[in-house]
Amino acid sequence: MRQPVWQILKSEFAVWRMALPGFIVIVGVILLRWAGALQFLELVALDRLLQLRPAEPMDERITIIGITEADIQRIKTYPIPDGEIADLIRRLQTYQPAVIGLDIVRDIPVEPGHAALETVFRTSRNVIGSEIALDPSGITVEPPPALPDAQVGFADTVSDLDGYQRRSLLGAHNAAQEHRFSLSLRLAEQYLRTRGFELDNGIRDPDAMRFGKTELTRFQPNSGGYMNADAGGNQILLNVRSGKTPFRVLSPEQIRTGNPKPEWLRERIVLIGMMSLSVKDVASSGAITSKNPGRVYGVEFHAHAVSQMVSAVLDGRPLLQVWGDGWEYLWIAAWGLLGLGFGRIFRSPWKILFGMGLASFTLIGVCYGLILLGWWVPLVPALLVLVLNGAGLSMALFYRYHQENQLRLEERQLVIQRLSETLHSGPSQLLDHMLRVLKAEPTVLSVVAELQRLDESIDAIVESLQREAFHEAVHSSSENLELWFQKPLHELLYKTYDDTLQRDLPHLKPIKFKIVQFDPLDTRHLKVEQIRSLCRFLEEALCNVGKYAVGATRLTTICTQEKDWQVIRITDNGIGLADSFGKPKDNTQIEKQQIRNLLRSLLKFPQFKIQNSNAEMGYSGLGTKLSQNLARQLGGTFRRYPNQPKGTVCELKWRARKNG
C-alpha cells in the first residue's frame, strides 16, 4: 500500500533535517571565501591548473635576446655599457623586426658608448624603452631621455601576497598623476598596429582597453579567487603560455656573429633583457614552467604578457575570464548540495566514498576543462564543501538510514515473534488438544467441535492483531509503546496477570485460591523487547494453566527477587504435565498418519505440519523454545517441573544487576 503524501514529506523532512549542518558548512565555506581565508589556496589551484595544460606551440612572433652571465663575463663589466646595447640594437635592426623592447633601464649614461645609444634611440621609431614608475616604496627610474613618451613603457609588475605575479598591469598613474602604459602594452600596441589593430577603449567596459573586437577584461577586486585585492590601474589576469619553450631565446653573441635565421627576427617582437640570476631581474610565478621552479626572468614575464594580448587578438586565444560573484557562490552551493545528496543516493559507505571520489575528480576535471577554455571558476571552496558534506554528513545520513532500516527489521522480527507466540498459545495448543481428543474418541462430531474452537481461536487472534494495529496507528509512533514499557516491570506483570485471568479459559475459573506476589524488579539492563517477552512468558504460563491444569484449585503467581536472582514462578495443583501430555497407550504410526490426513483434508491446508515427536506435541514445542531463548538472553534459566504432591511449576530466573 502506498504511503500518504504527508508521510513521505514527513520522512523526507526528518532526513533533510539531519542535513542542517551541511547547509551550515556551505554557508561557512562561502563566508570564509568572502573573508579571503581561501584566497591563497585558490591562487595555488589556479597555478596548478595552468601549469598542467598541454604544451602550446612556441610563439614565433616573439624572440627574446637574453643577456646571460656568460655575456657579462665576456664584457667584463656590469651594468652593460651603453655601447654594447647600441651595437646590439643596430645589428637587430638589420633583420627588420616589427618592434624592439629594451627591458634594461637607462636613465643615466653607462660609458662607453652613451652617445651612440642616444643616436640609436633618436633614429629608431620601433624601439621601446623601460622605466620604473610605480614602485610602492617611491623609488623610480626615469626612462632614457632620448626616447619620446610614446616609446616608453614601465616595467613594474603587480605581486600577490605570496610574492607571485598572476596579473599584468597595462596602465596606471604615477606619483605625479601622469597616466603611463606598461612595456608589454606598448610592444603589443606597436606590433598590432602593423596588423591593422589600434588601441581603443572597451565597449562593454569603457574603462577597459581594446584591440579591434578583443576587449581586455579588467581585473576587479573580487575577480575569481581574489578577495578585496588591489585592482588599481588597468590590470588583466595573466594567462601565461604553457610549455617548456614558449619563446625562442637567442644570445647577444649569436646576433653579433650573424648566426640567427632571418625569419626568427624579421617582423617579430624582440625583447632584450637580463637572464642572469646575479642581476636579480626576476619575477615569481607558479604557473610558468622554468628551470628555476617559481622563478622566471623579468624579460620572460613581459614576453608572456605581450604574447597573451597578441595571441588573443590574432589567434583568438582565450583570455582568463571569471564569473560574477552570484554565479560563483551558486556554483559552490551546488557542489555542497551534491555532497549532501550522497546520503540519499547511496546506501553503503563504500558507495558513498566512491561517489564522492568520482564527484571530486569530476569537479577537478570540469575546472580544468574550463581553464582550457579561459574560464577560472572556484575549485577549492567547491571541493571543500563537497568533501565535508560528502564524507561527513553523507555518512551521518547513511547511519541514520541504517538505524531506521535496523529498527524496521527489528519491528518485523517482533511482529513475527509475537505472531508465533500468539499462534502457539492459541491454535497450536488447540490442535494438540484435538489430537488427544481424536485419539481417545475419533468421531467426526468431536473433530467438528474442535475445529470450531480452532476457528474461534484464529478469529480471536485476528481481532487481537487488528486492535493492536489500531492502537499503534492511533498513537502514531513506537515512542508511546516505549513509554508504556517504561513503567515498573512488576506493574506490567500484574496487569498481564489480571488481563489473563479475565480470559475464558476452562481450568482458570474453578480455581478458588489465588496467591500473588508482585515485588519491584530491577530492569535497568533490560530492553523494551525483553520486558515485553517477560510479560508474554507470564501470559503463556497462565494460559497453559487455564487450558491444561485439569482439576486445579490453587494458583500461585510470584514475581520477586530471591537473593541474587529475579524470579517469575507460576505454580498450580492440576493433574500435571506427565498426566496431561504423556505418551498415549494406543498410539501407532498408522493412527497418527490418519489423524494428519483428516486434519489436512478438513483444513485444506496441505503445508500444515504436525510434529512426529510425542515430546514436541507437548510443552517442549515453540513455547518452551521461546522461553529458553529468553532465559539465554537474560543470562538465566527456564524450568518446567512437577509440583508436589501434584501440579506443575513454570519458572524463569535471571540474575539481578549488582549496584555500582
Side-chain angles (χ1 to χ4, degrees):
M1 186 172 64
R2 296 181 60 184
Q3 282 185 300
V5 175
W6 68 270
Q7 288 187 356
I8 297 175
L9 294 176
K10 181 179 179 181
S11 176
E12 289 295 315
F13 175 76
V15 171
W16 284 104
R17 184 177 58 183
M18 288 191 63
L20 179 60
F23 295 108
I24 296 177
V25 167
I26 295 173
V27 174
V29 170
I30 289 176
L31 290 177
L32 284 175
R33 185 176 192 263
W34 179 78
L38 302 179
Q39 176 173 302
F40 171 74
L41 295 176
E42 292 199 72
L43 295 180
V44 171
L46 172 64
D47 292 340
R48 294 300 299 165
L49 291 176
L50 290 173
Q51 195 175 54
L52 290 173
R53 293 174 302 168
E56 297 179 75
M58 179 187 295
D59 190 345
E60 299 284 354
R61 290 180 289 254
I62 298 176
T63 299
I64 297 175
I65 309 299
I67 301 174
T68 65
E69 189 67 29
D71 296 309
I72 297 174
Q73 295 299 325
R74 179 181 58 82
I75 298 171
K76 303 295 185 183
T77 182
Y78 181 80
I80 303 299
D82 289 348
E84 289 288 336
I85 297 176
D87 181 66
L88 179 60
I89 293 176
R90 280 197 301 266
R91 292 178 184 274
L92 288 172
Q93 293 287 23
T94 63
Y95 293 94
Q96 299 178 352
V99 61
I100 299 174
L102 182 62
D103 186 27
I104 300 175
V105 292
R106 274 297 181 266
D107 58 331
I108 58 177
V110 179
E111 299 292 355
H114 177 64
L117 182 59
E118 284 192 325
T119 300
V120 168
F121 284 157
R122 291 191 183 97
T123 58
S124 301
R125 299 300 179 189
N126 63 342
V127 174
I128 307 295
S130 60
E131 64 175 339
I132 304 297
L134 309 173
D135 193 288
S137 63
I139 299 175
T140 60
V141 179
E142 297 294 327
L147 286 174
D149 282 349
Q151 292 178 239
V152 174
F154 59 77
D156 302 81
T157 60
V158 180
S159 299
D160 293 325
L161 295 178
D162 57 0
Y164 281 18
Q165 284 84 34
R166 300 182 179 89
R167 293 167 277 163
S168 176
L169 184 60
L170 304 181
H173 289 85
N174 60 13
Q177 293 304 307
E178 299 171 336
H179 195 271
R180 314 295 291 176
F181 292 104
S182 67
L183 175 63
S184 58
L185 180 67
R186 289 293 192 190
L187 293 172
E189 177 188 17
Q190 186 151 335
Y191 180 80
L192 290 172
R193 184 180 293 122
T194 64
R195 301 298 189 273
F197 296 94
E198 293 291 339
L199 179 64
D200 204 344
N201 292 107
I203 297 175
R204 296 187 303 273
D205 178 6
D207 293 328
M209 297 182 184
R210 174 175 59 90
F211 290 102
K213 295 181 180 180
T214 304
E215 189 167 314
L216 306 179
T217 306
R218 281 194 310 141
F219 174 80
Q220 303 296 333
N222 292 338
S223 291
Y226 286 95
M227 290 295 144
N228 299 317
D230 181 7
N234 197 315
Q235 308 176 33
I236 61 172
L237 289 169
L238 183 60
N239 188 10
V240 299
R241 199 171 190 87
S242 62
K244 294 183 179 180
T245 55
F247 312 108
R248 178 174 284 108
V249 179
L250 303 176
S251 68
E253 185 66 17
Q254 289 177 283
I255 304 300
R256 190 176 65 85
T257 58
N259 284 337
K261 295 180 179 180
E263 61 268 22
W264 290 353
L265 298 170
R266 185 178 296 117
E267 298 183 354
R268 308 299 186 196
I269 301 170
V270 179
L271 268 165
I272 304 172
M274 305 300 300
M275 297 185 71
S276 173
L277 292 177
S278 63
V279 180
K280 298 181 180 180
D281 182 13
V282 295
S284 300
S285 174
I288 300 175
T289 303
S290 63
K291 296 180 180 179
N292 303 300
R295 292 286 183 268
V296 61
Y297 295 112
V299 66
E300 292 179 297
F301 181 83
H302 295 305
H304 279 282
V306 176
S307 175
Q308 172 178 245
M309 290 182 281
V310 172
S311 298
V313 175
L314 300 180
D315 303 334
R317 182 177 182 268
L319 298 165
L320 275 185
Q321 306 283 342
V322 297
W323 291 344
D325 290 348
W327 289 108
E328 287 184 337
Y329 289 126
L330 184 62
W331 163 268
I332 296 170
W335 287 99
L337 292 176
L338 177 61
L340 283 176
F342 289 134
R344 299 292 289 127
I345 298 172
F346 301 114
R347 296 293 182 268
S348 163
W350 299 112
K351 289 183 179 180
I352 290 177
L353 293 177
F354 174 78
M356 186 184 66
L358 181 62
S360 299
F361 280 112
T362 300
L363 170 59
I364 295 172
V366 169
C367 291
Y368 178 73
L370 290 174
I371 278 289
L372 296 179
L373 298 175
W375 289 96
W376 177 26
V377 298
L379 170 60
V380 172
L383 187 62
L384 192 59
V385 294
L386 174 64
V387 171
L388 289 178
N389 285 348
L393 298 174
S394 290
M395 295 299 288
L397 287 173
F398 167 76
Y399 177 75
R400 166 69 179 268
Y401 271 107
H402 177 73
Q403 291 294 99
E404 290 180 350
N405 291 335
Q406 186 67 26
L407 180 60
R408 294 190 189 101
L409 179 60
E410 292 176 356
E411 289 176 351
R412 286 195 296 268
Q413 291 174 341
L414 172 62
V415 170
I416 294 172
Q417 179 181 347
R418 292 172 63 187
L419 184 58
S420 299
E421 293 173 353
T422 305
L423 289 173
H424 167 71
S425 61
S428 179
Q429 294 189 5
L430 278 175
L431 285 174
D432 288 341
H433 186 61
M434 288 171 58
L435 290 174
R436 291 190 297 275
V437 172
L438 287 171
K439 292 171 187 177
E441 188 182 356
T443 65
V444 175
L445 291 177
S446 63
V447 171
V448 172
E450 293 300 327
L451 285 177
Q452 185 175 0
R453 289 185 60 195
L454 177 61
D455 181 61
E456 293 173 353
S457 177
I458 293 175
D459 288 341
I461 292 172
V462 172
E463 183 181 355
S464 175
L465 292 175
Q466 289 176 343
R467 285 199 307 268
E468 185 169 349
F470 176 75
H471 173 76
E472 293 192 9
V474 169
H475 288 81
S476 73
S477 72
S478 61
E479 295 179 0
N480 295 296
L481 295 177
E482 291 187 4
L483 291 175
W484 166 257
F485 282 100
Q486 286 176 4
K487 292 183 178 181
L489 178 57
H490 68 282
E491 293 184 10
L492 296 175
L493 291 173
Y494 182 79
K495 183 70 167 69
T496 302
Y497 167 83
D498 188 57
D499 290 345
T500 306
L501 261 62
Q502 301 299 321
R503 295 171 62 175
D504 188 15
L505 297 172
H507 303 302
L508 280 180
K509 291 183 178 180
I511 296 176
K512 302 298 183 181
F513 301 99
K514 299 182 182 69
I515 302 172
V516 297
Q517 180 181 353
F518 288 90
D519 296 329
L521 299 176
D522 184 6
T523 59
R524 288 176 294 172
H525 63 297
L526 297 182
K527 299 179 181 178
V528 171
E529 183 51 37
Q530 291 173 334
I531 295 176
R532 189 196 303 264
S533 296
L534 288 172
C535 294
R536 278 287 187 183
F537 168 78
L538 177 59
E539 178 186 10
E540 182 174 346
L542 293 172
C543 286
N544 286 336
V545 173
K547 295 174 182 178
Y548 308 114
V550 180
T553 59
R554 181 187 298 269
L555 175 64
T556 303
T557 306
I558 296 176
C559 301
T560 187
Q561 181 167 332
E562 298 175 351
K563 296 184 179 179
D564 294 336
W565 293 90
Q566 301 191 98
V567 180
I568 299 177
R569 185 183 299 116
I570 300 91
T571 306
D572 67 80
N573 63 345
I575 62 174
L577 281 173
D579 296 328
S580 180
F581 297 101
K583 182 177 180 180
K585 295 180 181 180
D586 298 322
N587 182 21
T588 66
Q589 190 66 27
I590 297 176
E591 291 173 341
K592 289 159 62 175
Q593 186 62 40
Q594 290 175 343
I595 294 169
R596 291 192 193 94
N597 293 337
L598 175 61
L599 288 174
R600 284 170 180 163
S601 62
L602 290 173
L603 294 175
K604 295 182 181 180
F605 191 44
Q607 288 77 22
F608 187 86
K609 295 182 180 180
I610 302 175
Q611 302 292 340
N612 290 327
S613 170
N614 288 323
E616 290 180 352
M617 292 172 62
Y619 277 98
S620 60
L622 179 61
T624 299
K625 293 179 181 179
L626 293 174
S627 299
Q628 290 172 344
N629 182 53
L630 176 59
R632 281 193 298 270
Q633 291 181 23
L634 299 177
T637 59
F638 164 72
R639 292 195 304 157
R640 184 182 284 112
Y641 54 92
N643 186 28
Q644 297 299 329
K646 64 175 181 176
T648 303
V649 180
C650 184
E651 178 185 83
L652 179 67
K653 298 173 61 176
W654 71 95
R655 287 193 178 276
R657 186 175 181 180
K658 295 182 180 180
N659 294 328

